[in-house]
Amino acid sequence: MQPRTVAFRVNLSALDLFPIDLWTRTTAQQWRRASASLLLGGEPFGYLPLRTLLSSYLRTSRSVVCDPEQILITSGIQEALDLSTRILVDAGDRVLMEDPGYQIAYAGFKAAGARIVPLSIDDEGAVPPIKTGLRARLMYITPGHQFPTGATMSFRRRTQILRYARREGTCIFEDDYDSEFRFEGSPLPALQSLDPKAQVIFAGSFNKTLFPSLRMGYMVVPPELVGAFRMCKSIHSRHHPWGDQAVLHAFIDEGHYVRHLRKMRKVYSDRLQLLADEVQKHLGGALELSPVEAGMQTVGWLRTAQSADEIAALALEENVDVIPLSRYCYKRQVPPGFQIGFGAVDGKSIARGVQILAQMIS
Amino acid sequence: MQPRTVAFRVNLSALDLFPIDLWTRTTAQQWRRASASLLLGGEPFGYLPLRTLLSSYLRTSRSVVCDPEQILITSGIQEALDLSTRILVDAGDRVLMEDPGYQIAYAGFKAAGARIVPLSIDDEGAVPPIKTGLRARLMYITPGHQFPTGATMSFRRRTQILRYARREGTCIFEDDYDSEFRFEGSPLPALQSLDPKAQVIFAGSFNKTLFPSLRMGYMVVPPELVGAFRMCKSIHSRHHPWGDQAVLHAFIDEGHYVRHLRKMRKVYSDRLQLLADEVQKHLGGALELSPVEAGMQTVGWLRTAQSADEIAALALEENVDVIPLSRYCYKRQVPPGFQIGFGAVDGKSIARGVQILAQMIS
């Protein structure tokens, strides 16, 4: 069921363009070839052929340096965050996170009793605290494509963040949630790859690149934490379902995954361009889009004196779904704006959605 | 890969008898019919058609009274326990659990900082504490087939347990892990069904009845806790993979599940009988089997002056895997004995395994 809204749902890929026939064929093949070992399962970190494939894929595409032994198959970034929080964060510990930032990460840290210290965001991404001695256990950041503002963290900022984390003994959780959809140029190297002395957990997801109900992602665990993660995963859910991992392995191994990414990168890039054109035509001067370099969503910054929350509420009555940034803010005030998804929105709906917004913004 | 041991691995079903062709066909069919809604997923509690089917199945087979709204699809009993612990148990809270008991439940409670109060086991199952005022948050029990001793909780004991839990404000976690494999007669009604005023979480698993790498189970959540479980599941892993749930739904709906259970019940019953005959023949007087009524494992009680740990260690050198009960004991001493699995062990291996044990026990 596609959402009934006209436009701009965030964090959703274009499901109608997913090659479900290829996925179905791969699934049937894997089960036809299944042996008793597929039924038995095993290692808490997951299916070794998938982890081996991912370790070389991540090396090539994201400069991530890791052995298959460090890769844990999760149900997505949420589970990666959950395991990390359980292992690293005790009640009362400090956690640094972006503000505005991913509200589900915030909820997880709160549930663990963490004291959350907000990091402000500028054009170069999250800004490390000036204050030293916070000794936070964890720093949650989205350097590839800041959620929700869309900023890509500069190389200079990456080294500042790493230096800060190393000095403070803070483990970095690098949420790489949709770097696969980068529109041009090579992505900057992952923080995980830049400083072997810093403790960085790197996490990504197939729920955005393939389809959300798949519930599959991965995390790269620093070698010294592998034992603790294995124990934690083993006690709480044993391991991820094995059959799904075998199917995903074959889907990547046969080249379908990279072909799908390539196709979707073009689709999303075209949709973003169309969105920019329509905004320029109907809302020029009143709404300014963030210059995002990747992903399925951007931010529209209001240049009028209106309230982003009120506009979002009015738009929703017309079935246009934009999320005011205030929903992602914990302690800071940010300039008025809202998140606009374009991944799952076709051209006609983008045009229609912008026209509806234009009736409200002036 | 079947285990290389000759015999007696516990907690494992006969994978070579699983109808993998039917599973493969059902999987392929489900994906061929898949719509965008299957890719989208949704509700944290899981795929509604599966939950609806389970609610009527549990009513018929286990007398469990529930709406589909109360059924949460998990990756197995471990996840059900984990969610329950997160929601109900704070560090320092008391948790009652069977001793000897399921070591993974113990590890999870320990990790949550619970104070574990052991329940002793007799022929009627777990014994409620004499002491009142413990006000434990949770009581973990396996009434259908006590793990590891195999005792089935009597009706009288069920009502005692419920009365105790109600008076103390303790939530019962009823782990129904392999009641599906009951050899004769109707099972006693689940505790969940006996007292509408007691707070009972009922949990079961398909990892034992179908295959372990499936990672799928369910829990029945009391109505007043549904909101808390939805929030918790949603934050930490969103929901179980959707495709697997659709496949399992079809597998049950088309009657394959019940047919498989019927077949396996006969297989396991025959294997248990053979085990009993072989033990009688080669170990009569030295080893006494628990009279289990269900499942894939039993306990052999040593009637010699030997140590169960030593015998288990010697047996392992001959590739015979039996688990001394001491491994499941936390505070209590139990009479010497070990757990013997027969589910995944064919007739020839049962005979061979008993002969090897007979060389060590006298």
Side-chain angles (χ1 to χ4, degrees):
Chain A
M1 205 164 52
Q2 288 286 4
R4 275 159 305 174
T5 50
V6 174
F8 303 139
R9 178 151 168 194
V10 302
N11 254 335
L12 186 63
S13 53
L15 300 183
D16 51 336
L17 300 178
F18 179 73
I20 196 162
D21 51 334
L22 276 176
W23 185 263
T24 301
R25 204 188 311 156
T26 310
T27 302
Q29 270 169 5
Q30 284 309 300
W31 278 104
R32 243 176 264 124
R33 291 175 195 160
S35 62
S37 84
L38 193 81
L39 301 180
L40 187 58
E43 163 60 38
F45 268 43
Y47 183 64
L48 189 58
L50 175 61
R51 292 156 61 212
T52 305
L53 200 55
L54 279 176
S55 76
S56 58
Y57 172 77
L58 291 174
R59 195 174 311 122
T60 317
S61 71
R62 312 287 301 109
S63 316
V64 165
V65 185
C66 67
D67 287 328
E69 284 65 36
Q70 291 170 254
I71 298 189
L72 195 170
I73 304 300
T74 66
S75 72
I77 288 170
Q78 289 178 228
E79 191 192 0
L81 254 174
D82 182 34
L83 291 168
S84 304
T85 305
R86 293 173 89 132
I87 290 169
L88 296 169
V89 180
D90 290 324
D93 283 348
R94 286 202 184 89
V95 168
L96 301 169
M97 80 167 278
E98 298 161 334
D99 183 10
Y102 185 40
Q103 76 284 16
I104 291 181
Y106 184 85
F109 296 140
K110 270 286 172 200
R115 286 187 288 166
I116 296 170
V117 180
L119 300 176
S120 61
I121 311 295
D122 66 16
D123 290 348
E124 296 188 70
V127 182
I130 297 163
K131 200 171 158 183
T132 57
L134 287 173
R135 303 201 69 73
R137 288 296 290 137
L138 200 63
M139 178 196 289
Y140 170 79
I141 48 174
T142 52
H145 182 211
Q146 203 272 331
F147 190 93
T149 67
T152 297
M153 190 179 282
S154 66
F155 190 82
R156 188 179 71 136
R157 184 61 53 77
R158 287 173 196 240
T159 57
Q160 288 169 346
I161 287 273
L162 284 164
R163 205 178 312 129
Y164 176 86
R166 192 135 65 85
R167 198 175 48 214
E168 293 276 313
T170 300
C171 179
I172 295 174
F173 187 101
E174 180 172 16
D175 177 346
D176 193 57
Y177 72 106
D178 61 7
S179 304
E180 268 80 7
F181 297 128
R182 197 182 168 78
F183 305 132
E184 47 198 292
S186 287
L188 289 169
L191 270 80
Q192 198 271 0
S193 70
L194 291 175
D195 183 352
K197 286 194 194 132
Q199 202 172 48
V200 182
I201 293 167
F202 180 88
S205 172
F206 296 100
N207 303 322
K208 305 277 186 290
T209 52
L210 294 172
F211 54 93
S213 83
L214 175 62
R215 308 309 309 145
M216 204 155 7
Y218 52 86
M219 64 193 299
V220 181
V221 175
E224 66 277 16
L225 293 177
V226 163
F229 276 84
R230 175 171 293 122
M231 175 71 85
C232 187
K233 178 71 185 162
S234 168
I235 290 176
H236 300 305
S237 61
R238 195 150 305 194
H239 60 65
H240 199 74
W242 223 240
D244 296 353
Q245 296 184 66
V247 172
L248 179 59
H249 168 260
F251 195 80
I252 299 174
D253 199 36
E254 291 165 17
H256 305 317
Y257 182 62
V258 167
R259 269 193 296 279
H260 180 58
L261 287 185
R262 203 178 300 136
K263 180 175 86 175
M264 299 315 292
R265 217 174 274 136
K266 173 87 175 76
V267 169
Y268 296 151
S269 170
D270 290 350
R271 288 181 176 184
L272 175 61
Q273 187 58 53
L274 178 67
L275 176 67
D277 293 346
E278 293 293 314
V279 165
Q280 181 58 35
K281 199 180 339 173
H282 298 285
L283 280 162
L287 191 74
E288 191 179 318
L289 295 185
S290 270
V292 295
E293 298 172 12
M296 310 186 291
Q297 50 240 339
T298 183
V299 164
W301 302 97
L302 266 181
R303 296 300 181 227
T304 66
Q306 294 167 287
S307 141
D309 294 69
E310 279 171 29
I311 288 175
L314 287 170
L316 201 57
E317 287 177 20
E318 305 291 325
N319 297 317
V320 170
D321 191 7
V322 290
I323 303 181
L325 291 186
S326 59
R327 199 173 304 163
Y328 301 116
C329 292
Y330 312 119
K331 299 202 177 155
R332 294 175 187 281
Q333 290 282 332
V334 291
F338 32 72
Q339 207 181 17
I340 301 176
F342 52 81
V345 192
D346 64 20
K348 209 174 120 188
S349 304
I350 287 174
R352 179 89 190 100
V354 171
Q355 281 161 27
I356 292 172
L357 285 180
Q359 291 161 13
M360 292 155 191
I361 302 174
S362 57
Chain B
M1 204 166 51
Q2 289 286 5
R4 274 158 305 172
T5 49
V6 174
F8 304 139
R9 177 151 168 192
V10 303
N11 254 335
L12 185 64
S13 53
L15 299 183
D16 52 334
L17 299 177
F18 180 72
I20 197 163
D21 52 333
L22 278 174
W23 185 263
T24 300
R25 204 189 308 156
T26 310
T27 302
Q29 269 169 6
Q30 285 308 300
W31 278 104
R32 245 176 261 123
R33 290 176 196 160
S35 62
S37 85
L38 192 80
L39 300 181
L40 188 58
E43 162 60 37
F45 268 44
Y47 183 63
L48 189 57
L50 175 61
R51 292 155 61 213
T52 305
L53 199 57
L54 279 177
S55 77
S56 59
Y57 171 77
L58 292 174
R59 195 174 312 120
T60 316
S61 71
R62 311 287 301 111
S63 316
V64 165
V65 186
C66 68
D67 288 328
E69 285 66 35
Q70 292 170 253
I71 298 188
L72 194 171
I73 304 299
T74 65
S75 71
I77 288 170
Q78 288 178 229
E79 191 192 359
L81 254 174
D82 182 36
L83 291 168
S84 304
T85 305
R86 293 174 88 131
I87 289 169
L88 296 168
V89 180
D90 289 323
D93 283 349
R94 285 201 185 88
V95 168
L96 302 169
M97 79 166 279
E98 300 160 333
D99 184 8
Y102 184 40
Q103 76 285 16
I104 290 182
Y106 183 87
F109 296 140
K110 271 286 173 199
R115 283 186 290 165
I116 296 170
V117 181
L119 301 175
S120 61
I121 312 295
D122 66 15
D123 290 350
E124 297 188 70
V127 182
I130 297 162
K131 199 170 159 183
T132 57
L134 287 174
R135 305 201 69 71
R137 289 295 290 136
L138 200 63
M139 178 195 290
Y140 170 79
I141 48 175
T142 51
H145 182 211
Q146 203 270 331
F147 190 93
T149 67
T152 296
M153 190 181 282
S154 67
F155 190 82
R156 187 179 73 136
R157 182 61 54 78
R158 287 171 196 241
T159 58
Q160 289 170 345
I161 287 274
L162 284 163
R163 206 179 312 128
Y164 175 86
R166 191 135 66 84
R167 199 174 48 213
E168 293 275 315
T170 299
C171 179
I172 294 173
F173 187 101
E174 181 173 15
D175 176 345
D176 193 56
Y177 72 104
D178 62 5
S179 304
E180 267 80 7
F181 298 128
R182 199 183 165 76
F183 305 131
E184 47 198 291
S186 287
L188 288 168
L191 271 81
Q192 197 272 0
S193 70
L194 292 174
D195 184 351
K197 286 196 194 130
Q199 202 173 47
V200 182
I201 293 167
F202 180 88
S205 173
F206 296 100
N207 303 323
K208 305 276 186 291
T209 52
L210 294 172
F211 53 93
S213 83
L214 176 63
R215 307 310 310 146
M216 203 156 7
Y218 51 86
M219 62 192 300
V220 181
V221 175
E224 66 276 17
L225 293 178
V226 163
F229 275 85
R230 175 170 293 121
M231 176 71 84
C232 188
K233 179 72 184 160
S234 168
I235 290 177
H236 300 306
S237 61
R238 194 150 305 191
H239 59 66
H240 199 74
W242 223 241
D244 296 352
Q245 296 184 65
V247 172
L248 179 59
H249 168 260
F251 194 81
I252 299 174
D253 199 37
E254 290 165 18
H256 305 315
Y257 182 63
V258 168
R259 268 192 297 279
H260 179 58
L261 286 185
R262 203 178 301 135
K263 179 176 87 177
M264 297 316 291
R265 216 174 275 134
K266 175 87 174 77
V267 169
Y268 296 150
S269 170
D270 289 350
R271 289 181 175 184
L272 175 60
Q273 188 57 54
L274 177 67
L275 176 68
D277 293 347
E278 293 293 314
V279 165
Q280 180 58 35
K281 200 180 335 170
H282 299 283
L283 281 161
L287 191 74
E288 192 179 316
L289 295 185
S290 270
V292 296
E293 297 172 12
M296 310 185 292
Q297 51 239 341
T298 183
V299 164
W301 302 98
L302 266 181
R303 296 301 180 226
T304 66
Q306 294 167 286
S307 141
D309 295 70
E310 279 171 28
I311 288 175
L314 287 171
L316 201 57
E317 287 176 19
E318 305 291 325
N319 296 316
V320 170
D321 189 8
V322 292
I323 303 181
L325 292 185
S326 58
R327 199 175 304 165
Y328 301 117
C329 291
Y330 313 119
K331 299 202 178 157
R332 292 175 189 281
Q333 289 283 333
V334 293
F338 32 72
Q339 207 182 16
I340 301 176
F342 51 81
V345 192
D346 64 21
K348 208 174 119 189
S349 304
I350 287 174
R352 179 89 190 99
V354 171
Q355 281 162 26
I356 292 172
L357 285 180
Q359 292 161 12
M360 294 156 191
I361 302 174
S362 57

